Amino acid sequence: MYYAFICRKSMASDNLLQPPDKFKFPFPPYDIQEQFMTELFQVLEGGKLGIFESPTGTGKSLSLICGALTWFLESEKQKRIKLEELVNDKTVDDDDDDDWFAAAGKKQEYNQKRLEAKEELERIKVKDEKLAKIKAKRSQLKQTDIEQNKDEFNELFKEVKWMQKAVQRELSQGAGDEDILVEEYFSDEEVDDDYEADEEDTSRRIFFCSRTHSQLSQFVREVKKSPFGSDVSLVSLASRAVMCVNPSVKKLPSQAAINEKCLELGKKKSKPTALDEDENPTKKSKSGGCGCPYNKNTGTAVLRDQAILAIHDIEDLVAAGRKTQSCPYYASRSAVPLAQMVVLPYNTLLHAGTRKAIGLNLKNSIVIIDEAHNLLDTITNIHSVNISGAQLGLAYSQLAQYREKYSTRLKAKNILYIKQLLFILSSFIKMLGGIPGKDPAEVTNQGAKEETCLIEVADFLSESQIYNLSLFRLIKYCNVSQICHKLKGFVEKYQPSASVTNSKPVKSGVGTFLSSINKTEKKEEAVVPDNNENRPPSNSLQSLVELLSSLSMNHGEARMVLTKGPKLTAGRIRFLLLDPANQFQQIVREAHSVVVAGGTMRPIAEFRDQLFVAAGADPSRVTHFSCDHVVPGENMLPLVMNSGPSGARLDFSFQFRDKKETLDELGRVLINIVNIVPGGIVVFFPSYDYEKLVSKHLEASGVLARIEAKKKIFREPKTSSELDKVLGDFATAVRLSTGAVLLAVVGGKMSEGINFSDNLGRCVVMVGMPYPNLYSPELKEKMNFLNKTVG
């Protein structure tokens, strides 16, 4: 191990920490790594905004880890020392000034600083005590089994009580569908006080985010190998789709379906505690039960403690969750307040609503964003929402039939807000040329051609006549009443629209359950295949709520993109964010320091102006560091091929790339490369559609068979769950045979953050260039916006 920490004090200011002479590092670092860590240390100490450019192979991740954690641990140590000194210093300078009023003011100001320091020190001690208790608990793991049994008994007892009350309710009302019917909505002003409001957590921590889960796992492994592996508490956050260990939820076909089912289970079994002994509604208990058998308080707490006491990547947490039958998703979320470093994906950090939902507080913290060269586009895409004409038509039909069925049972406020939702859906359908209530697949504009237009958000609100509605209240109603999930349950049970899959609905309800007890086991088993869980999510109303949320937020420059056609199914409404800096300004304003890093960040001026300066940062606060590649130029052979072996031109522009001659020549090039280059070959295409087209042509022409005779072929999967398996199989094939070929996509899951080291990537082929469509109205609007604001 090669390190030595010497903290020098600046001659100009005793308050600034200076970089050590030698950083802790797992091996002697390159000069550029030393420079990188020194510059990073100074950026963090000065609370600046850093743009770091470090090509692949220069050890960027390890430099970020060692540089940031060196500063963080020393800074926290010095902060604690200064707080203790201030609290213990009871001396007040006697001022000879005759102005006793000014002296009293100074004394009061000093005492206030001491009080704030004492409170801060107390918070630090409380956090340390919590960690100490967690460590002590680890020596009494057997007690967990007892608590787990107690949990299971309590849940079973609550379930029995709930069934008794539900039976009584159903017998008295004779209507059923309590799980589908929205509950009474009492007040627009009521605060969602299901949980007690915790004191704001202002502890400093490092937030590290990257684009994919594989990149984050790779980063966590680097932290483990670093000299700081045992000095820092780290928590990995990920989506439900990645961290879910409930097989019945995990097998659902999409991330949206998994999210919906998880939320539904989280609400479902809290019903037993929703009634008191007199059948009056009660407040939801903070320690109440949950419908998911994996999300139990005791098991989740044990998994949280494991996450805090040792560094785990996402795969480690999921494996531990399966072993202990506990929920990694909620365990990792509950571990954040005790963590010093939080590792999370782009979407979680960059979306303000998601940060608030999870409880992430960036105040006074360090934000490090890796693979940031596409950050502007990422922020734009995260906040740009669209809803199709088919979804609008489906949501209108379902909600209208829901209101009709339960019109006599819905309370007045529920009916009011459902009418508002129907009015909005109706207005949007009419704007796309459709007719509310009709099948979206029917032709409503005979002879109309598909066209796209962009309008200002204010004009859209005016034209759709929803400008006078309180969207904030409506969105709050949708969230509190769970109308989207109730409607989804209604659709799954009754299938009210012709657009929904026409399969026989499964009977549900307590009455059906009781009547089925005396039936034969064979008949019970016959119900299982009709279960609707494996269907694609039918929750079209949720897409409308997301669009309304975008319209109601402080979005800065944005446009509404309307696509119309002869049918409603060809239509689309899209909220297009033009100013990503507007959504980034809260991060810049609240964080102590923000660092963006990538292999190439050029042009630096545009990146600085469009991201940091446009977000309100002082240009003097922005710094830039760039280093050269560590691989000598003579070790690389870049080639540009204008023609192939037969002399045919290789033109992959849009009008020529689909031609048979171009595809045939590409096949000849690939065959020659496979015959010459050993090990692994990675071939990148501009899009998934073009990769599919090329693969289909090469298979039909026999080229793929000839390639597979030499090297096995792998294709990039579209789903994240298959990514690790494909990469593992590719690496195995390279290691155990004559090599392999991987067909991947630029901007896809394999184009960034994955290290095709040594034999895995002896040759990289780029087929064409991923240029955007110059005729896209959205691109033209974005270019006009940049010309006005930056140009």
Side-chain angles (χ1 to χ4, degrees):
M1 198 73 68
Y2 180 77
Y3 63 87
F5 188 93
I6 302 173
C7 183
R8 304 189 309 271
K9 292 292 182 180
S10 170
M11 297 298 291
S13 173
D14 289 340
N15 295 323
L16 286 179
L17 288 173
Q18 294 299 306
D21 290 335
K22 293 181 180 178
F23 284 85
K24 286 185 178 182
F25 215 73
F27 51 82
Y30 299 121
D31 288 341
I32 57 172
Q33 290 173 326
E34 285 272 14
Q35 296 164 16
F36 186 107
M37 291 185 286
T38 299
E39 184 69 21
L40 178 61
F41 190 103
Q42 292 172 339
V43 165
L44 299 182
E45 177 62 17
K48 295 183 178 181
L49 309 172
I51 302 173
F52 284 74
E53 190 176 36
S54 180
T56 302
T58 53
K60 170 167 55 74
S61 296
L62 205 50
S63 300
L64 282 170
I65 291 166
C66 294
L69 287 177
T70 297
W71 175 84
F72 177 82
L73 295 175
E74 184 62 20
S75 175
E76 290 297 287
K77 178 182 173 184
Q78 294 297 323
K79 174 185 173 182
R80 185 162 188 162
I81 291 172
K82 288 178 181 177
L83 288 173
E84 289 173 346
E85 287 176 351
L86 182 57
V87 170
N88 295 328
D89 183 15
K90 298 179 181 179
T91 61
V92 180
D93 293 337
D94 293 328
D95 201 335
D96 295 333
D97 197 343
D98 293 335
D99 190 349
W100 63 269
F101 188 79
K106 288 179 182 178
K107 184 176 181 180
Q108 185 178 4
E109 184 181 346
Y110 179 77
N111 288 337
Q112 181 63 29
K113 285 182 179 178
R114 285 187 62 221
L115 179 61
E116 291 174 358
K118 186 177 180 181
E119 291 173 352
E120 179 69 17
L121 202 57
E122 189 62 33
R123 281 193 289 267
I124 294 172
K125 288 179 180 177
V126 168
K127 187 174 178 180
D128 290 345
E129 286 171 4
K130 284 183 180 179
L131 286 171
K133 284 181 182 178
I134 289 173
K135 290 177 181 177
K137 256 200 274 183
R138 297 296 294 151
S139 61
Q140 302 171 354
L141 280 179
K142 289 185 179 178
Q143 183 65 21
T144 303
D145 297 332
I146 299 170
E147 295 295 330
Q148 193 168 357
N149 291 335
K150 194 188 295 182
D151 256 4
E152 290 171 359
F153 175 79
N154 288 339
E155 290 301 320
L156 184 61
F157 183 68
K158 287 175 184 174
E159 184 75 8
V160 171
K161 287 191 70 177
W162 171 76
M163 286 182 65
Q164 289 174 344
K165 292 180 184 290
V167 170
Q168 291 171 8
R169 253 195 334 270
E170 189 163 319
L171 290 174
S172 63
Q173 296 176 0
D177 289 355
E178 277 71 27
D179 285 344
I180 298 174
L181 195 66
V182 287
E183 297 172 5
E184 184 173 2
Y185 189 68
F186 292 100
S187 171
D188 292 320
E189 320 305 330
E190 69 182 357
V191 179
D192 187 9
D193 56 355
D194 288 344
Y195 301 101
E196 297 174 11
D198 294 327
E199 185 181 351
E200 185 181 27
D201 181 14
T202 56
S203 302
R204 177 175 288 168
R205 51 180 60 90
I206 297 175
F207 292 94
F208 178 91
C209 81
S210 194
R211 203 168 72 95
T212 65
H213 294 300
S214 59
Q215 291 169 354
L216 295 174
S217 293
Q218 188 173 321
F219 177 84
V220 173
R221 287 192 290 270
E222 294 282 356
V223 176
K224 280 184 182 179
K225 291 189 296 183
S226 77
F228 301 92
S230 59
D231 298 335
V232 66
S233 56
L234 181 149
V235 170
S236 297
L237 299 181
S239 64
R240 288 180 173 91
V242 173
M243 301 195 88
C244 181
V245 293
N246 186 337
S248 64
V249 178
K250 183 76 172 177
K251 68 182 181 182
L252 296 178
S254 70
Q255 183 162 326
I258 290 172
N259 289 340
E260 288 171 6
K261 191 65 179 175
C262 178
L263 292 170
E264 182 185 330
L265 288 173
K267 294 282 182 182
K268 184 179 287 185
K269 298 303 185 199
S270 60
K271 293 286 183 185
T273 60
L275 299 173
D276 61 16
E277 294 299 326
D278 299 320
E279 296 196 27
N280 295 319
T282 62
K283 281 177 65 177
K284 186 163 58 182
S285 170
K286 194 171 182 179
S287 57
C290 178
C292 180
Y294 292 84
N295 190 10
K296 303 301 179 188
N297 292 338
T298 305
T300 302
V302 171
L303 191 57
R304 176 206 65 195
D305 295 349
Q306 290 180 9
I308 284 295
L309 293 177
I311 293 178
H312 297 82
D313 60 18
I314 297 165
E315 289 77 12
D316 294 335
L317 280 176
V318 171
R322 288 199 183 101
K323 186 177 179 180
T324 60
Q325 294 193 333
S326 305
C327 178
Y329 176 76
Y330 285 105
S332 60
R333 281 180 56 171
S334 63
V336 169
L338 297 173
Q340 294 171 307
M341 176 176 273
V342 180
V343 178
L344 67 171
Y346 274 177
N347 291 20
T348 307
L349 180 81
L350 298 175
H351 192 274
T354 306
R355 289 199 305 272
K356 184 178 178 182
I358 292 179
L360 298 182
N361 191 341
L362 302 184
K363 288 181 181 177
N364 202 34
S365 288
I366 307 302
V367 174
I368 299 176
I369 303 174
D370 198 13
E371 304 297 340
H373 57 274
N374 60 356
L375 186 57
L376 290 163
D377 289 338
T378 300
I379 297 172
T380 299
N381 293 334
I382 287 173
H383 293 88
S384 296
V385 180
N386 66 159
I387 184 169
S388 67
Q391 287 176 308
L392 289 170
L394 197 61
Y396 182 89
S397 173
Q398 293 168 355
L399 192 60
Q401 292 173 75
Y402 179 89
R403 183 189 64 172
E404 183 180 353
K405 182 171 179 63
Y406 300 116
S407 58
T408 59
R409 300 177 65 188
L410 290 169
K411 301 297 181 181
K413 281 212 169 178
N414 285 322
I415 293 176
L416 171 67
Y417 283 116
I418 288 173
K419 281 184 176 179
Q420 288 186 12
L421 288 170
L422 286 170
F423 174 76
I424 293 172
L425 286 165
S426 173
S427 299
F428 288 0
I429 289 170
K430 290 174 183 176
M431 289 186 75
L432 296 180
I435 300 174
K438 279 206 169 187
D439 189 333
E442 288 186 22
V443 176
T444 53
N445 288 330
Q446 193 72 40
K449 293 182 180 179
E450 187 170 317
E451 59 178 5
T452 300
C453 64
L454 284 86
I455 60 176
E456 297 275 354
V457 174
D459 294 338
F460 175 81
L461 294 173
S462 176
E463 190 176 333
S464 61
Q465 298 181 335
I466 66 171
Y467 60 88
N468 58 345
L469 295 178
S470 175
L471 295 184
F472 287 107
R473 287 187 175 184
L474 186 57
I475 293 164
K476 181 183 175 184
Y477 167 77
C478 292
N479 293 332
V480 173
S481 70
Q482 293 287 302
I483 180 65
C484 298
H485 299 294
K486 302 287 185 181
L487 183 62
K488 181 175 180 288
F490 171 75
V491 169
E492 290 180 342
K493 183 173 182 180
Y494 295 107
Q495 296 166 19
S497 171
S499 301
V500 180
T501 309
N502 292 320
S503 61
K504 188 176 180 181
V506 180
K507 293 182 178 181
S508 61
V510 177
T512 307
F513 169 72
L514 293 175
S515 66
S516 70
I517 291 177
N518 296 323
K519 292 185 179 180
T520 64
E521 188 177 341
K522 185 175 180 181
K523 285 189 177 181
E524 287 179 2
E525 290 176 354
V527 177
V528 176
D530 288 331
N531 198 313
N532 293 328
E533 282 186 347
N534 289 325
R535 287 187 189 154
S538 54
N539 201 342
S540 300
L541 189 60
Q542 185 63 45
S543 299
L544 176 71
V545 175
E546 290 173 2
L547 180 62
L548 295 179
S549 298
S550 296
L551 288 171
S552 62
M553 73 179 181
N554 179 19
H555 46 66
E557 280 290 326
R559 298 288 183 273
M560 301 303 297
V561 185
L562 274 64
T563 302
K564 305 177 184 179
K567 301 177 183 178
L568 185 58
T569 50
R572 184 187 68 158
I573 296 176
R574 176 173 167 82
F575 174 86
L576 176 64
L577 182 72
L578 295 177
D579 184 13
N582 183 270
Q583 301 303 317
F584 198 64
Q585 64 182 356
Q586 184 184 9
I587 297 175
V588 172
R589 184 174 63 248
E590 292 186 353
H592 170 80
S593 185
V594 179
V595 173
V596 293
T600 173
M601 305 295 290
R602 298 177 189 276
I604 295 294
E606 286 187 17
F607 197 93
R608 179 196 63 216
D609 295 341
Q610 292 179 38
L611 186 68
F612 288 127
V613 176
D618 190 323
S620 63
R621 193 184 168 200
V622 183
T623 63
H624 167 235
F625 173 83
S626 181
C627 62
D628 294 328
H629 209 292
V630 293
V631 178
E634 59 268 21
N635 288 14
M636 298 181 69
L637 180 62
L639 296 173
V640 178
M641 298 185 66
N642 297 316
S643 59
S646 69
R649 191 176 174 214
L650 291 169
D651 188 345
F652 292 100
S653 56
F654 190 77
Q655 59 267 40
F656 293 107
R657 68 181 189 176
D658 295 351
K659 292 189 175 296
K660 182 178 181 300
E661 297 79 12
T662 303
L663 297 174
D664 286 343
E665 195 68 5
L666 174 61
R668 296 185 192 102
V669 171
L670 293 177
I671 288 173
N672 285 353
I673 292 173
V674 165
N675 286 331
I676 296 170
V677 177
I681 299 171
V682 186
V683 184
F684 284 104
F685 295 89
S687 67
Y688 284 104
D689 288 339
Y690 192 59
E691 185 272 335
K692 184 178 179 181
L693 177 89
V694 171
S695 296
K696 187 176 179 182
H697 177 85
L698 296 183
E699 184 177 14
S701 62
V703 172
L704 287 189
R706 292 177 62 184
I707 292 175
E708 284 205 287
K710 294 278 291 183
K711 297 178 187 288
K712 194 170 181 180
I713 297 175
F714 296 89
R715 295 175 64 186
E716 177 177 327
K718 283 194 175 182
T719 57
S720 300
S721 57
E722 299 176 81
L723 184 63
D724 289 338
K725 185 180 184 306
V726 171
L727 283 172
D729 291 346
F730 171 73
T732 302
V734 170
R735 190 175 68 253
L736 300 180
S737 66
T738 56
V741 177
L742 178 62
L743 306 182
V745 176
V746 174
K749 300 169 186 64
M750 295 183 173
S751 62
E752 296 171 15
I754 295 176
N755 189 12
F756 293 104
S757 60
D758 302 327
N759 226 26
L760 292 180
R762 290 300 177 192
C763 179
V764 177
V765 180
M766 180 67 231
V767 180
M769 295 296 288
Y771 290 121
N773 181 7
L774 286 174
Y775 302 102
S776 164
E778 298 177 22
L779 179 63
K780 288 181 178 179
E781 191 69 21
K782 180 72 174 178
M783 291 169 66
N784 290 336
F785 169 74
L786 291 176
N787 287 336
K788 285 191 297 183
T789 57
V790 181

